[in-house]
Amino acid sequence: MKIVIIGAGSIGGYFGALLAKAGNNVVFVARGNHLRAMQNNGLTVKSALGNFHLDKVEATDDIYSIQNPDVIIHTTKTWQVKDTLPAISAIMKEDTIVIPLQNGISIAEEMQSRIPKENIIQGSCKILSKIEEPGMINHFGDTPMITIGEYNQEFTPRLKRLENTFTNAGIPTIMTDDIEKKLWEKFVLICTGGLISITGTSFGRVREIPETREKLRDSLIEICAVSQKVNGKLELEFADKIMDVIDNFPYEGATSTCRDLWNGKHSEIDYLNGMVVKLGKENDVPTPINDMIYYCNLPREYKARKGE
C-alpha cells in the first residue's frame, strides 16, 4: 500500500515510521532540518514500546511530486490543512483515501472544499510524542492509538483494510460506527488547554483550586451543551467524565496548544475554544466561559501570527 504522510512530525513521523517498518511504501512530507535529516540519515523512533531506525525513507517537501497514493494520512496542525488541499486534490486517484488526524471537529468538512466527501475517512489519534531532534521521533506516555470511521457509519471493506494495515504495523486501531461522537469526545478534552494556557500553569494547579476547577468544569459543560444542539452526541454529564480524566493527568501536564501559545507559536485555538464560541453563536447556546478563554488567548495568538 502506498501511504503518504503529510506532516511527518511528532504524530505523522511516528505512525509513518511504523507503517514503513511493516513494509508499506511510505512517503513522508516534511520541511526544514527534519526533512533534510530524514533524506540524509533516515528516521529514528525512540519509544518505550521499542526503539528502531529506518536507514532509508522517502521524504519530500513537494506534495505535487508524489504519484498515485492509496492513502493520505494528514497530521499537520489544523490551520495548515487548507494550504495543502490543492496539492492533495492534484495527486489523488479516484479511490485514494484521505484520513485527517488533526485535533478538532471541523477538518474533514474543511477538506471537502477540494476533496470529495466519499474519499475521506474520518480519524482521531491518541499519542504523546515529539520531534526530539531532526530525524528523531520520541514517543512517551501511553500506547498510541488510531480510531477511524466512515460517514455512513458502516464497517466497509476499505475501512477493514485500513484497520488491518495499521494493526499489522503495530498501531492499535479501532473501527467505530460513530466517528463523529469520538471526535467530539476528544474535542472536549483538547479544549481544556485553552484555560490552562491563560493561567500560565498546569492541569494540576488548575484542578486543585476550587474556583479554577469550577471554571474548567463549566467550560466543559458548555461544550457538551453545544454538542447537544449541533448533533446530540454528548450528554452534559460527559463533562464529569472528562474531569475524572483530568484528575489523573500529570500534575505539571499541559496541552500542545498551551505550549504553542506560551512559546509564541501559531496555535490551534481557533479550531478549539474558538470553534465552541462560533458554534455556540450559530446555535444560540451561551458559552461565556469559552468566550473568555478564547478572547483572552487571542492577543498572544495574533502576536504569534505576525511573527512578533
Coordinates of all heavy atoms in Angstrom, one line a residue, residues 181-257:
K181 N -19.1 11.1 17.2 CA -19.1 11.1 18.6 C -17.7 11.0 19.2 O -17.3 11.8 20.1 CB -20.0 10.0 19.2 CG -20.1 10.0 20.7 CD -21.0 8.9 21.2 CE -21.1 8.9 22.7 NZ -22.1 7.9 23.2
K182 N -16.9 10.2 18.6 CA -15.5 10.0 19.1 C -14.7 11.3 18.9 O -13.9 11.7 19.8 CB -14.8 8.9 18.3 CG -15.4 7.5 18.6 CD -15.3 7.1 20.0 CE -15.8 5.7 20.2 NZ -15.8 5.3 21.7
L183 N -14.9 12.0 17.8 CA -14.2 13.3 17.6 C -14.7 14.3 18.6 O -13.8 15.1 19.1 CB -14.5 13.8 16.2 CG -13.9 13.0 15.0 CD1 -14.4 13.5 13.7 CD2 -12.4 13.1 15.1
W184 N -16.0 14.4 18.9 CA -16.4 15.3 19.9 C -15.9 15.0 21.3 O -15.6 15.9 22.1 CB -18.0 15.4 19.9 CG -18.5 16.4 18.9 CD1 -18.7 16.2 17.6 CD2 -18.8 17.7 19.2 NE1 -19.2 17.3 17.0 CE2 -19.3 18.3 18.0 CE3 -18.8 18.5 20.4 CZ2 -19.7 19.6 17.9 CZ3 -19.2 19.8 20.3 CH2 -19.7 20.4 19.1
E185 N -15.8 13.7 21.6 CA -15.3 13.3 22.9 C -13.9 13.8 23.1 O -13.5 14.3 24.2 CB -15.4 11.8 23.1 CG -16.8 11.3 23.3 CD -16.9 9.8 23.4 OE1 -15.9 9.1 23.1 OE2 -18.0 9.3 23.8
K186 N -13.1 13.7 22.1 CA -11.7 14.1 22.1 C -11.6 15.7 22.1 O -10.8 16.3 22.8 CB -10.9 13.6 21.0 CG -9.4 14.1 21.0 CD -8.6 13.5 19.8 CE -7.2 14.0 19.9 NZ -6.4 13.5 18.8
F187 N -12.5 16.3 21.4 CA -12.6 17.7 21.3 C -12.8 18.4 22.6 O -12.1 19.3 23.0 CB -13.8 18.1 20.3 CG -14.0 19.6 20.1 CD1 -13.1 20.4 19.5 CD2 -15.2 20.1 20.6 CE1 -13.3 21.7 19.3 CE2 -15.4 21.5 20.4 CZ -14.5 22.3 19.7
V188 N -13.7 17.8 23.4 CA -14.0 18.3 24.8 C -12.7 18.3 25.6 O -12.3 19.3 26.3 CB -15.1 17.5 25.5 CG1 -15.3 18.0 26.9 CG2 -16.4 17.6 24.7
L189 N -12.0 17.2 25.5 CA -10.7 17.1 26.3 C -9.7 18.1 25.8 O -9.0 18.8 26.7 CB -10.2 15.7 26.2 CG -8.9 15.3 27.0 CD1 -9.1 15.6 28.5 CD2 -8.5 13.9 26.7
I190 N -9.5 18.2 24.5 CA -8.4 19.0 24.0 C -8.7 20.5 24.3 O -7.8 21.3 24.5 CB -8.3 18.8 22.5 CG1 -7.8 17.4 22.2 CG2 -7.3 19.8 21.9 CD1 -6.4 17.1 22.7
C191 N -10.0 20.9 24.3 CA -10.3 22.3 24.6 C -9.9 22.7 26.0 O -9.9 24.0 26.2 CB -11.8 22.5 24.4 SG -12.3 22.6 22.7
T192 N -9.6 21.8 26.9 CA -9.2 22.2 28.2 C -7.9 23.0 28.2 O -7.6 23.8 29.1 CB -9.0 21.0 29.1 OG1 -8.0 20.1 28.6 CG2 -10.3 20.2 29.3
G193 N -7.1 22.8 27.2 CA -5.8 23.6 27.1 C -6.0 25.1 27.0 O -5.1 25.8 27.4
G194 N -7.1 25.5 26.6 CA -7.3 27.0 26.5 C -7.3 27.7 27.8 O -6.7 28.7 28.0
L195 N -7.9 27.1 28.8 CA -7.9 27.6 30.2 C -6.6 27.5 30.8 O -6.1 28.4 31.5 CB -9.0 27.0 31.0 CG -9.1 27.5 32.5 CD1 -9.4 29.0 32.5 CD2 -10.2 26.8 33.2
I196 N -5.9 26.3 30.6 CA -4.6 26.1 31.2 C -3.7 27.2 30.6 O -2.8 27.7 31.4 CB -4.1 24.7 30.9 CG1 -5.1 23.6 31.2 CG2 -2.7 24.5 31.5 CD1 -5.5 23.6 32.7
S197 N -3.8 27.5 29.4 CA -2.9 28.5 28.7 C -3.0 29.8 29.4 O -2.0 30.4 29.7 CB -3.3 28.6 27.2 OG -2.6 29.7 26.6
I198 N -4.2 30.3 29.6 CA -4.3 31.7 30.1 C -3.9 31.8 31.6 O -3.6 32.9 32.1 CB -5.7 32.3 29.9 CG1 -6.8 31.5 30.6 CG2 -6.0 32.5 28.4 CD1 -8.2 32.2 30.4
T199 N -3.9 30.6 32.3 CA -3.5 30.7 33.7 C -1.9 30.6 33.8 O -1.3 30.9 34.8 CB -4.0 29.5 34.5 OG1 -3.5 28.2 34.0 CG2 -5.5 29.4 34.5
G200 N -1.3 30.1 32.7 CA 0.1 30.0 32.7 C 0.7 28.9 33.6 O 1.8 29.0 34.0
T201 N -0.2 28.0 34.0 CA 0.3 26.9 34.9 C 0.2 25.5 34.4 O 0.9 25.2 33.4 CB -0.5 27.1 36.2 OG1 -1.9 26.9 36.0 CG2 -0.3 28.4 36.9
S202 N -0.7 24.7 34.9 CA -0.7 23.3 34.5 C -2.1 22.7 34.9 O -2.9 23.4 35.7 CB 0.4 22.5 35.2 OG 0.1 22.5 36.7
F203 N -2.4 21.5 34.5 CA -3.6 20.8 34.9 C -3.7 20.7 36.4 O -4.8 20.9 37.0 CB -3.7 19.5 34.2 CG -4.2 19.5 32.8 CD1 -3.3 19.2 31.7 CD2 -5.5 19.9 32.5 CE1 -3.8 19.2 30.4 CE2 -5.9 19.9 31.2 CZ -5.1 19.6 30.1
G204 N -2.6 20.3 37.0 CA -2.6 20.1 38.4 C -3.0 21.3 39.2 O -3.8 21.2 40.2
R205 N -2.4 22.4 38.8 CA -2.7 23.7 39.6 C -4.1 24.2 39.4 O -4.7 24.7 40.3 CB -1.6 24.7 39.2 CG -0.2 24.3 39.6 CD 0.8 25.3 39.3 NE 2.2 24.8 39.5 CZ 2.8 24.7 40.7 NH1 2.1 25.1 41.7 NH2 4.0 24.1 40.7
V206 N -4.6 24.0 38.2 CA -5.9 24.5 37.9 C -7.0 23.6 38.5 O -8.0 24.1 39.1 CB -6.2 24.5 36.3 CG1 -7.7 24.7 36.0 CG2 -5.4 25.7 35.7
R207 N -6.8 22.3 38.6 CA -7.8 21.4 39.2 C -7.8 21.5 40.7 O -8.8 21.1 41.3 CB -7.6 20.0 38.7 CG -6.4 19.3 39.3 CD -6.0 18.0 38.5 NE -4.9 17.3 39.1 CZ -4.0 16.6 38.5 NH1 -4.2 16.4 37.2 NH2 -3.0 16.0 39.1
E208 N -6.7 21.9 41.3 CA -6.7 21.8 42.8 C -7.3 23.1 43.4 O -7.5 23.1 44.6 CB -5.2 21.6 43.3 CG -4.3 22.8 43.1 CD -2.9 22.6 43.6 OE1 -2.6 21.4 44.0 OE2 -2.1 23.5 43.5
I209 N -7.4 24.2 42.7 CA -8.0 25.4 43.2 C -9.5 25.4 42.9 O -9.9 25.3 41.7 CB -7.4 26.6 42.6 CG1 -5.9 26.6 42.9 CG2 -8.1 27.9 43.0 CD1 -5.1 27.7 42.1
P210 N -10.4 25.4 43.9 CA -11.8 25.2 43.7 C -12.4 26.2 42.6 O -13.2 25.8 41.8 CB -12.4 25.5 45.1 CG -11.3 25.2 46.0 CD -10.0 25.5 45.4
E211 N -11.9 27.4 42.7 CA -12.5 28.4 41.7 C -12.1 28.1 40.3 O -13.0 28.2 39.4 CB -12.0 29.8 42.1 CG -12.6 30.3 43.4 CD -11.9 29.8 44.6 OE1 -10.8 29.1 44.5 OE2 -12.3 30.2 45.7
T212 N -10.9 27.8 40.0 CA -10.5 27.5 38.6 C -11.0 26.1 38.2 O -11.3 25.9 37.0 CB -9.0 27.5 38.5 OG1 -8.3 26.7 39.5 CG2 -8.5 29.0 38.6
R213 N -11.1 25.2 39.2 CA -11.7 23.9 38.8 C -13.1 24.0 38.4 O -13.6 23.4 37.4 CB -11.6 22.9 40.0 CG -12.2 21.5 39.8 CD -12.1 20.7 41.0 NE -12.6 19.3 40.7 CZ -11.8 18.3 40.3 NH1 -10.5 18.5 40.1 NH2 -12.3 17.1 40.0
E214 N -13.9 24.9 39.1 CA -15.3 25.1 38.7 C -15.3 25.7 37.3 O -16.2 25.3 36.5 CB -15.9 26.1 39.7 CG -17.4 26.4 39.4 CD -18.0 27.3 40.4 OE1 -17.2 28.0 41.1 OE2 -19.2 27.5 40.4
K215 N -14.5 26.7 37.0 CA -14.5 27.3 35.7 C -14.1 26.3 34.6 O -14.7 26.3 33.5 CB -13.5 28.5 35.6 CG -13.9 29.6 36.5 CD -15.3 30.2 36.2 CE -15.6 31.3 37.1 NZ -17.0 31.7 36.9
L216 N -13.2 25.4 34.9 CA -12.8 24.3 33.9 C -14.0 23.4 33.6 O -14.3 23.1 32.5 CB -11.6 23.5 34.5 CG -11.1 22.4 33.6 CD1 -10.7 22.9 32.2 CD2 -10.0 21.7 34.3
R217 N -14.7 23.0 34.7 CA -15.8 22.1 34.5 C -17.0 22.8 33.8 O -17.6 22.3 32.9 CB -16.4 21.6 35.9 CG -17.6 20.7 35.8 CD -18.0 20.2 37.2 NE -19.1 19.3 37.1 CZ -20.4 19.8 37.1 NH1 -20.7 21.1 37.2 NH2 -21.4 18.9 37.1
D218 N -17.2 24.1 34.1 CA -18.2 24.9 33.4 C -17.9 25.0 31.9 O -18.8 24.9 31.1 CB -18.3 26.3 34.0 CG -19.0 26.3 35.4 OD1 -19.6 25.2 35.8 OD2 -18.9 27.3 36.1
S219 N -16.6 25.1 31.6 CA -16.3 25.2 30.2 C -16.6 24.0 29.4 O -17.0 24.0 28.3 CB -14.8 25.6 30.0 OG -14.0 24.5 30.3
L220 N -16.4 22.8 30.1 CA -16.7 21.5 29.5 C -18.2 21.3 29.3 O -18.7 20.8 28.3 CB -16.2 20.4 30.4 CG -14.7 20.4 30.6 CD1 -14.2 19.3 31.5 CD2 -13.9 20.4 29.3
I221 N -19.0 21.8 30.3 CA -20.5 21.7 30.2 C -21.0 22.5 29.1 O -21.9 22.1 28.3 CB -21.1 22.1 31.5 CG1 -20.8 21.1 32.7 CG2 -22.6 22.3 31.4 CD1 -21.3 21.6 34.0
E222 N -20.4 23.7 28.8 CA -20.8 24.5 27.7 C -20.5 23.7 26.4 O -21.4 23.8 25.5 CB -20.0 25.8 27.7 CG -20.3 26.8 28.8 CD -19.5 28.0 28.7 OE1 -18.6 28.1 27.8 OE2 -19.7 28.9 29.6
I223 N -19.4 23.1 26.3 CA -19.1 22.3 25.0 C -20.1 21.2 24.8 O -20.6 21.0 23.7 CB -17.7 21.8 25.0 CG1 -16.7 22.9 25.2 CG2 -17.4 21.0 23.7 CD1 -15.3 22.5 25.4
C224 N -20.4 20.5 25.9 CA -21.4 19.4 25.8 C -22.8 20.0 25.4 O -23.6 19.4 24.6 CB -21.5 18.7 27.1 SG -20.0 17.7 27.5
A225 N -23.1 21.2 25.9 CA -24.4 21.8 25.6 C -24.5 22.2 24.1 O -25.5 22.0 23.4 CB -24.6 23.0 26.4
V226 N -23.3 22.7 23.6 CA -23.2 23.0 22.1 C -23.4 21.7 21.3 O -24.1 21.7 20.3 CB -21.9 23.6 21.8 CG1 -21.7 23.7 20.3 CG2 -21.8 25.0 22.4
S227 N -22.8 20.6 21.8 CA -22.9 19.3 21.0 C -24.4 18.9 21.0 O -24.8 18.4 20.0 CB -22.0 18.3 21.7 OG -22.3 17.0 21.2
Q228 N -25.1 19.0 22.1 CA -26.5 18.6 22.2 C -27.3 19.3 21.1 O -28.2 18.7 20.5 CB -27.1 18.9 23.5 CG -26.6 17.9 24.6 CD -27.4 18.1 25.9 OE1 -27.8 19.2 26.2 NE2 -27.5 17.0 26.6
K229 N -27.0 20.6 20.9 CA -27.7 21.4 19.9 C -27.3 21.1 18.5 O -28.1 21.0 17.5 CB -27.5 22.9 20.2 CG -28.6 23.8 19.6 CD -29.9 23.6 20.3 CE -30.9 24.6 19.8 NZ -30.7 26.0 20.2
V230 N -26.0 20.8 18.3 CA -25.4 20.5 16.9 C -25.8 19.1 16.4 O -26.2 18.9 15.3 CB -23.9 20.8 16.9 CG1 -23.3 20.3 15.6 CG2 -23.6 22.2 17.2
N231 N -25.5 18.1 17.3 CA -25.7 16.7 16.8 C -26.2 15.8 17.9 O -26.4 14.6 17.6 CB -24.4 16.2 16.3 CG -23.2 16.4 17.2 OD1 -23.4 16.4 18.5 ND2 -22.0 16.5 16.7
G232 N -26.4 16.2 19.1 CA -26.9 15.3 20.2 C -26.0 14.2 20.6 O -26.4 13.3 21.2
K233 N -24.6 14.4 20.3 CA -23.7 13.3 20.6 C -23.3 13.2 22.1 O -23.0 12.1 22.6 CB -22.5 13.4 19.7 CG -22.7 13.3 18.2 CD -23.2 11.9 17.9 CE -23.4 11.8 16.4 NZ -23.9 10.4 16.0
L234 N -23.3 14.3 22.8 CA -22.7 14.3 24.1 C -23.8 14.8 25.1 O -24.5 15.7 24.9 CB -21.5 15.2 24.3 CG -20.3 14.9 23.4 CD1 -19.2 15.9 23.6 CD2 -19.8 13.5 23.6
E235 N -23.9 14.1 26.3 CA -24.7 14.5 27.4 C -23.9 15.5 28.2 O -22.7 15.4 28.3 CB -25.2 13.3 28.2 CG -26.0 12.3 27.4 CD -27.3 12.8 26.9 OE1 -27.9 13.8 27.6 OE2 -27.8 12.4 25.9
L236 N -24.6 16.3 29.0 CA -23.9 17.2 29.9 C -23.1 16.5 30.9 O -22.0 17.0 31.3 CB -25.0 18.1 30.6 CG -25.8 19.1 29.7 CD1 -26.7 19.9 30.6 CD2 -24.9 19.9 28.9
E237 N -23.5 15.3 31.3 CA -22.7 14.5 32.3 C -21.4 14.1 31.8 O -20.5 13.7 32.6 CB -23.6 13.3 32.7 CG -24.8 13.6 33.5 CD -26.0 14.1 32.6 OE1 -25.9 14.0 31.4 OE2 -26.9 14.7 33.2
F238 N -21.2 14.2 30.5 CA -19.8 13.8 29.9 C -18.8 14.7 30.5 O -17.6 14.3 30.6 CB -19.9 13.8 28.4 CG -18.6 13.3 27.8 CD1 -18.3 12.0 27.8 CD2 -17.7 14.2 27.2 CE1 -17.1 11.5 27.3 CE2 -16.6 13.7 26.6 CZ -16.3 12.4 26.6
A239 N -19.1 15.9 30.9 CA -18.1 16.9 31.4 C -17.5 16.3 32.7 O -16.3 16.4 32.9 CB -18.8 18.2 31.8
D240 N -18.2 15.6 33.5 CA -17.7 15.0 34.7 C -16.7 13.8 34.4 O -15.8 13.6 35.1 CB -18.8 14.6 35.6 CG -19.5 15.7 36.3 OD1 -18.8 16.7 36.7 OD2 -20.7 15.7 36.3
K241 N -17.0 13.1 33.3 CA -16.1 12.0 32.9 C -14.7 12.6 32.5 O -13.7 12.1 32.7 CB -16.7 11.2 31.7 CG -17.9 10.4 32.1 CD -18.4 9.6 30.9 CE -19.6 8.8 31.3 NZ -20.1 8.0 30.2
I242 N -14.8 13.8 31.8 CA -13.5 14.4 31.4 C -12.8 15.0 32.6 O -11.6 14.9 32.7 CB -13.8 15.6 30.4 CG1 -14.4 15.0 29.1 CG2 -12.5 16.4 30.1 CD1 -13.5 14.0 28.4
M243 N -13.5 15.5 33.6 CA -12.9 15.9 34.8 C -12.2 14.7 35.5 O -11.1 14.9 36.1 CB -13.9 16.5 35.8 CG -14.4 17.9 35.3 SD -13.2 19.2 35.1 CE -12.5 19.3 36.8
D244 N -12.8 13.6 35.5 CA -12.1 12.4 36.1 C -10.8 12.1 35.3 O -9.8 11.7 35.9 CB -13.0 11.2 36.0 CG -14.2 11.3 36.9 OD1 -14.1 12.1 37.9 OD2 -15.2 10.6 36.7
V245 N -10.8 12.2 34.0 CA -9.6 12.0 33.2 C -8.5 13.1 33.6 O -7.4 12.7 33.8 CB -9.9 12.1 31.7 CG1 -8.6 12.1 30.9 CG2 -10.8 11.0 31.3
I246 N -8.9 14.3 33.7 CA -8.0 15.4 34.1 C -7.4 15.2 35.4 O -6.2 15.5 35.7 CB -8.7 16.7 34.0 CG1 -9.1 17.1 32.5 CG2 -7.9 17.9 34.6 CD1 -10.0 18.3 32.4
D247 N -8.2 14.6 36.3 CA -7.7 14.4 37.7 C -6.5 13.3 37.7 O -5.8 13.2 38.7 CB -8.8 13.9 38.6 CG -9.7 15.0 39.1 OD1 -9.2 16.2 39.1 OD2 -10.9 14.8 39.4
N248 N -6.4 12.6 36.6 CA -5.4 11.6 36.5 C -4.2 12.0 35.6 O -3.3 11.2 35.4 CB -5.9 10.2 36.0 CG -6.8 9.6 37.1 OD1 -6.3 9.1 38.1 ND2 -8.1 9.5 36.9
F249 N -4.3 13.2 35.1 CA -3.2 13.8 34.3 C -2.0 14.1 35.2 O -2.2 14.4 36.4 CB -3.6 15.1 33.6 CG -4.4 14.8 32.3 CD1 -4.9 15.9 31.6 CD2 -4.6 13.6 31.8 CE1 -5.6 15.8 30.5 CE2 -5.3 13.4 30.6 CZ -5.8 14.5 29.9
P250 N -0.8 14.1 34.7 CA 0.4 14.5 35.4 C 0.2 15.9 36.0 O -0.4 16.8 35.3 CB 1.5 14.5 34.4 CG 1.1 13.5 33.4 CD -0.4 13.6 33.3
Y251 N 0.6 16.2 37.2 CA 0.4 17.5 37.8 C 0.8 18.6 37.0 O 0.1 19.7 36.8 CB 1.1 17.5 39.2 CG 0.7 18.7 40.0 CD1 -0.4 18.7 40.8 CD2 1.5 19.9 40.0 CE1 -0.7 19.9 41.6 CE2 1.2 21.0 40.7 CZ 0.1 21.0 41.5 OH -0.2 22.1 42.2
E252 N 2.0 18.5 36.4 CA 2.6 19.6 35.6 C 2.2 19.5 34.1 O 2.7 20.2 33.2 CB 4.1 19.6 35.7 CG 4.6 20.0 37.1 CD 4.2 21.4 37.6 OE1 3.9 22.2 36.7 OE2 4.2 21.6 38.8
G253 N 1.2 18.7 33.8 CA 0.8 18.4 32.4 C 0.2 19.7 31.8 O -0.5 20.5 32.5
A254 N 0.3 19.8 30.5 CA -0.3 20.8 29.7 C -0.5 20.3 28.3 O -0.1 19.2 27.9 CB 0.5 22.1 29.6
T255 N -1.3 21.0 27.4 CA -1.5 20.5 26.1 C -0.6 21.2 25.1 O 0.1 22.1 25.4 CB -3.0 20.8 25.6 OG1 -3.1 22.2 25.5 CG2 -4.0 20.3 26.7
S256 N -0.6 20.6 23.8 CA 0.2 21.2 22.8 C -0.2 22.6 22.5 O 0.6 23.5 22.1 CB 0.2 20.4 21.5 OG -1.1 20.3 21.0
T257 N -1.5 22.9 22.6 CA -2.0 24.3 22.4 C -1.4 25.2 23.4 O -1.0 26.4 23.1 CB -3.5 24.3 22.4 OG1 -4.0 23.5 21.4 CG2 -4.0 25.8 22.3

